[in-house]
Amino acid sequence: MRFQWRGAPVIVAALILAAFNLLAGCATQAHSAASKEYAPVVGQEGKDVIWVPTPQALVERMLQIAKTTPNDYVIDLGSGDGRTVITAAKKYGVRALGIEYNPDMVELSRRNAEKEGVADRAQFVHGDIFQTDFSKATVLTLYLLPNLNLKLRPTILNMKPGTRVVSHAFSMDDWQPDQTDTVEGRTAYLWIVPAKVEGSWRWGSARTYELVLRQHFQQIEGLVKADNKVAQFRDAKLQGDRITFSVIEFAGTGAVRRVFSGRVNGDTIEGVVKPSNGTGEEKWTATRVLD
Ligand SMILES: C[S@@+](CC[C@H](N)C(=O)[O-])C[C@H]1O[C@@H](n2cnc3c(N)ncnc32)[C@H](O)[C@@H]1O
């Protein structure tokens, strides 16, 4: 007689049901994890620096001291939850980009930009700030660390003269800021990338000038000769590609001051000169010469 166990079909059915429930349970869990929004934690690890957000009031002040306009291109290095990029796009109508190493933060920033209705102008890339090209920025914002600022400094100094760089909390070592500002006890530093003007410059035909400039970031000092005679070089200022200085020449008992202002473009400076005796404004074009 063949043995027939009557309970077998029931057990098989129960096992199938249990397996089905298990699979269904896993699927539900996976679905709820995906639909639950990622919530970053202040102080969470980042590649080179942890995430700590800049307070919104300071974000706004940083963009303000950079004199952001709708024509700018703002890039935030280590953009966290995207607040600087989104604020720039919303408040100034600029195109802005965040570079962020944490992919979850990148996704969160994209969702935030979407919610704020600026996803077309506020964009985010997943990348390392030391491997990603940010040279097109006209306003660069950062909240990193002193050593990271210093590591970025050579790249920043090669950006287009006039680019504004604003850092929350941290300096650029011996590159003095052009401006500092404090909001709720937190400091923002502004630098304007200076043109490279070091070297010897010559200009003039009726009256010839030779100027040797020494440069330490935006600070410049010079030795000048007018018609081969030593003159005084005063009130020098370099801001981005704009340079101004006075040359004081002595003739007999009197002195004539000429105020030169111009725009640096590679090895050329073009501008106007105003003599203090009010004889009218003239154009000048200097070229850098090899020593
Ligand atoms: C102090 S938080 C500043 C966030 C944001 N800029 C702000 O001001 O609110 C620094 C951010 O840089 C990111 N980060 C760290 N190292 C990075 C790297 N090498 N490349 C890109 N992002 C980085 C961190 O994940 C973090 O979101």
Side-chain angles (χ1 to χ4, degrees), residues 54 57-67 165-170 177-191:
T54 297
L58 187 61
V59 166
E60 292 185 17
R61 186 67 63 84
M62 287 168 74
L63 294 168
Q64 192 187 344
I65 64 172
K67 295 196 167 68
V165 182
V166 198
S167 166
H168 171 185
F170 302 115
D178 292 279
Q179 192 181 333
T180 59
D181 208 341
T182 306
V183 177
E184 294 162 10
R186 289 167 182 257
T187 305
Y189 299 92
L190 168 78
W191 296 265

Side-chain angles (χ1 to χ4, degrees), residues 45-54 59 76-81 83-84 99-102 105 127-130 142-144 148 168:
E45 279 300 306
K47 181 175 177 284
D48 292 302
V49 56
I50 58 172
W51 176 63
V52 179
T54 297
V59 166
D76 189 32
L77 298 183
S79 49
D81 62 4
R83 59 185 61 203
T84 304
I99 303 170
E100 171 56 54
Y101 195 77
N102 180 332
M105 295 300 267
D128 186 331
I129 53 173
F130 294 104
L142 8 104
Y143 181 24
L144 298 168
L148 302 183
H168 171 185

